[in-house]
């Protein structure tokens, strides 16, 4: 099984285009910079997202292709938000209540059901409901990152686990490996942002 995967991975690497490679590298840069709460994370996110629009559309993951268009817009918003509100409570790491997260979950399920129906009816999309769930959950979690809400890391842990499986089924092995790396970096992000929470609580 592992030998077969290794052979497929080597073949996929050889067939991987430069667009996907650059997009993946910039996506890693984004997450590393976000962990450090560097505003430059949004610049890496913008370019990576624009490239992934093309890559994911070619893989017939239409919702995730559209999602990356949203990511590009959110990168511009996040850059503006962190720059204009530097030092204010708006961009200090903080937490949301369980009710806020529950409301987000309900909205994600409803939107995913609606978009999955449209994808099944009008496209040949692969995994329409899971694709939709990942897309809408990522919209919510990305907004949380822009607002520096600590719970974004918990959302990304679930989202990226599902995404890894989704990309693997579409033979986007490099991107699947990228999301495996994300899962490790998410743990680091949780630890670093939790430290910022303690600092903010002590300052208060």
């Amino acid at each position: 099984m592992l030998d077969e995967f290794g052979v497929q991975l080597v073949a996929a690497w050889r067939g991987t285009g430069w667009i996907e490679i650059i997009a993946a590298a910039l996506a890693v840069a984004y997450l590393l910079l976000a962990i450090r709460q560097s505003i430059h994370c949004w610049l890496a996110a913008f370019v990576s997202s624009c490239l992934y629009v093309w890559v994911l559309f070619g893989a017939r993951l239409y919702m995730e292709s559209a999602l990356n268009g949203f990511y590009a817009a959110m990168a511009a918003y996040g850059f503006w938000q962190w720059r204009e509100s530097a030092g204010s409570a708006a961009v200090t790491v903080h937490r949301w209540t369980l009710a806020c997260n529950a409301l987000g979950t309900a909205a994600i399920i409803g939107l995913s059901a609606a978009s999955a129906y449209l994808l099944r009816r009008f496209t040949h999309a692969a995994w329409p409901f899971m694709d939709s769930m990942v897309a809408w959950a990522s919209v919510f979690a990305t907004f949380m990152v822009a607002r520096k809400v600590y719970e974004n890391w918990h959302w990304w842990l679930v989202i990226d686990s599902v995404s890894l499986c989704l990309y693997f089924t579409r033979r986007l092995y490099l991107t699947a490996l990228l999301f495996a790396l994300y899962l490790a970096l998410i743990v680091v992000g949780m630890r670093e942002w939790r430290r910022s929470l303690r600092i903010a609580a002590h300052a208060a």
Side-chain angles (χ1 to χ4, degrees):
M1 182 68 177
L2 289 177
D3 289 341
E4 181 182 351
F5 172 72
V7 171
Q8 292 177 348
L9 187 59
V10 170
W13 173 260
R14 290 174 178 170
T16 298
W18 280 104
I19 292 178
E20 186 181 352
I21 292 172
I22 295 170
L26 287 172
V28 172
Y30 156 74
L31 188 54
L32 290 172
L33 291 167
I35 288 171
R36 298 177 59 188
Q37 299 180 47
S38 168
I39 195 171
H40 296 99
C41 71
W42 299 112
L43 300 177
F46 180 81
V47 179
S48 176
S49 298
C50 289
L51 295 176
Y52 264 123
V53 168
W54 176 267
V55 171
L56 294 170
F57 190 86
R60 293 193 296 117
L61 293 173
Y62 302 128
M63 281 298 294
E64 295 214 37
S65 179
L67 170 64
N68 275 269
F70 168 81
Y71 280 163
M74 279 301 297
Y77 169 76
F79 183 87
W80 173 82
Q81 179 73 20
W82 286 22
R83 185 187 64 182
E84 295 298 318
S85 306
S88 73
V91 289
T92 299
V93 177
H94 59 286
R95 306 196 73 158
W96 274 0
T97 63
L98 182 61
C100 286
N101 286 279
L103 184 61
T105 301
I108 288 164
I109 293 172
L111 289 167
S112 297
S115 57
Y117 170 78
L118 294 173
L119 286 171
R120 288 192 187 99
R121 185 174 178 84
F122 298 111
T123 76
H124 298 290
W127 302 97
F129 185 74
M130 294 307 298
D131 188 16
S132 297
M133 281 286 288
V134 167
W136 289 115
S138 297
V139 166
F140 184 65
T142 302
F143 180 75
M144 295 173 79
V145 176
R147 303 295 296 182
K148 286 195 176 180
V149 179
Y150 171 74
E151 284 79 12
N152 87 84
W153 297 109
H154 300 106
W155 279 88
W156 286 121
L157 190 65
V158 176
I159 293 166
D160 290 354
S161 297
V162 175
S163 294
L164 189 157
C165 298
L166 196 59
Y167 292 135
F168 189 84
T169 66
R170 302 309 300 163
R171 301 179 64 84
L172 294 172
Y173 297 123
L174 180 62
T175 303
L177 284 177
L178 168 66
F179 275 73
L181 175 60
Y182 272 4
L183 292 176
L185 292 177
I186 284 168
V187 177
V188 178
M190 284 182 178
R191 184 183 63 192
E192 292 300 315
W193 283 38
R194 190 181 301 120
R195 184 178 303 164
S196 294
L197 274 175
R198 288 196 295 265
I199 292 172
H202 185 267

